[in-house]
């Protein structure tokens, strides 16, 4: 096997490990929430108001979490970070590729804060939902499971596009990019200052 072919396979393996690891986490949550919701809903007869609430909640979370959260932001970034990792990955980052792709490590400070704050919010929400009475807990769980399923599918679509040569047009939010952008901005500012300095009145 020639070195280019071997390197190409290595990169593909890194991308698949990172992205499919994230999808596996989502699938586990989908199965767990879906099973809980199904068990509760089959044991309770929902009122008309509760059915309306289920439909409204599912549509709302599908739009804000599934479409805006996953499809437009999280999913493209997962794939962008996986592709970046395949090109510039360190052994530790490759070993922890799913966490890397979720931006839980080796990301810009802003991205790390946002991601860990999101994780803390999700944990708090889980603890809160567990205290809800059964029909309403099932309603919440069913909507969340649907949004997560939307997210998992959108990640796979982004992955397929990325492997087909159409990487997502979104920043991987790695520290090197932020550092390089800062250097470029400083360089441009110095060039502008030098160009404008002699012409100042």
């Amino acid at each position: 096997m020639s070195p280019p072919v071997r390197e190409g396979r290595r990169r593909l393996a890194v991308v698949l490990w990172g992205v499919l690891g994230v999808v596996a986490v989502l699938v586990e949550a989908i199965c767990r929430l879906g099973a809980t919701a199904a068990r509760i809903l089959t044991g309770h007869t929902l009122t008309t108001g509760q059915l309306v609430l289920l439909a409204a909640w599912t549509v709302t979370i599908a739009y804000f979490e599934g479409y805006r959260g996953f499809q437009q932001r999280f999913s493209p970034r997962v794939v962008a970070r996986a592709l970046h990792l395949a090109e510039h990955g360190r052994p530790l980052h490759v070993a922890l590729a799913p966490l890397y792709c979720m931006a839980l490590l080796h990301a810009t400070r802003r991205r790390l804060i946002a991601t860990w704050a999101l994780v803390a919010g999700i944990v708090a929400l889980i603890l809160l939902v567990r205290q809800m009475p059964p029909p309403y807990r099932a309603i919440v769980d069913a909507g969340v499971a649907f949004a997560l399923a939307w997210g998992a599918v959108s990640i796979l679509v982004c992955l397929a596009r990325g492997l087909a040569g159409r990487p997502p047009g979104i920043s991987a939010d790695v520290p090197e990019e932020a550092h390089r952008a800062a250097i470029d901005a400083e360089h441009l500012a110095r060039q502008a200052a030098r160009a404008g300095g002699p012409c100042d009145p």
Side-chain angles (χ1 to χ4, degrees), residues 63-178:
Y63 175 73
F64 285 103
E65 190 65 22
Y67 174 67
R68 294 188 62 178
F70 274 101
Q71 186 173 327
Q72 292 194 320
R73 296 184 180 90
F74 183 80
S75 300
R77 184 167 290 109
V78 164
V79 175
R81 288 180 64 83
L83 294 172
H84 183 274
L85 179 64
E87 294 288 339
H88 310 285
R90 304 170 188 171
L92 178 61
H93 294 161
V94 171
L96 302 175
L99 299 179
Y100 182 98
C101 292
M102 288 188 283
L104 290 172
L105 57 88
H106 195 68
T108 59
R109 182 180 179 184
R110 179 180 178 182
R111 179 54 51 194
L112 284 172
I113 292 173
T115 304
W116 281 104
L118 177 62
V119 170
I122 291 173
V123 171
L125 180 61
I126 290 172
L127 296 176
L128 179 63
V129 170
R130 285 181 178 175
Q131 307 305 316
M132 299 175 70
Y136 297 99
R137 176 181 176 179
I139 289 171
V140 172
D141 283 350
V144 172
F146 183 78
L148 292 178
W150 186 316
V153 171
S154 67
I155 290 175
L156 293 175
V157 170
C158 286
L159 172 62
R161 290 175 177 171
L163 294 179
R166 292 180 293 165
I170 191 170
S171 171
D173 277 349
V174 291
E176 300 90 271
E177 286 184 351

Side-chain angles (χ1 to χ4, degrees), residues 28-53:
E28 189 277 332
I30 293 165
C31 293
R32 179 167 39 83
L33 293 173
T36 300
R39 185 181 69 252
I40 295 174
L41 290 176
T42 53
H44 291 77
T45 301
L46 298 184
T47 65
T48 302
Q50 289 170 339
L51 288 172
V52 171
L53 179 60

Side-chain angles (χ1 to χ4, degrees), residues 189-201:
R190 287 178 178 176
Q191 281 187 326
R194 283 199 300 268
C199 299
D200 289 340

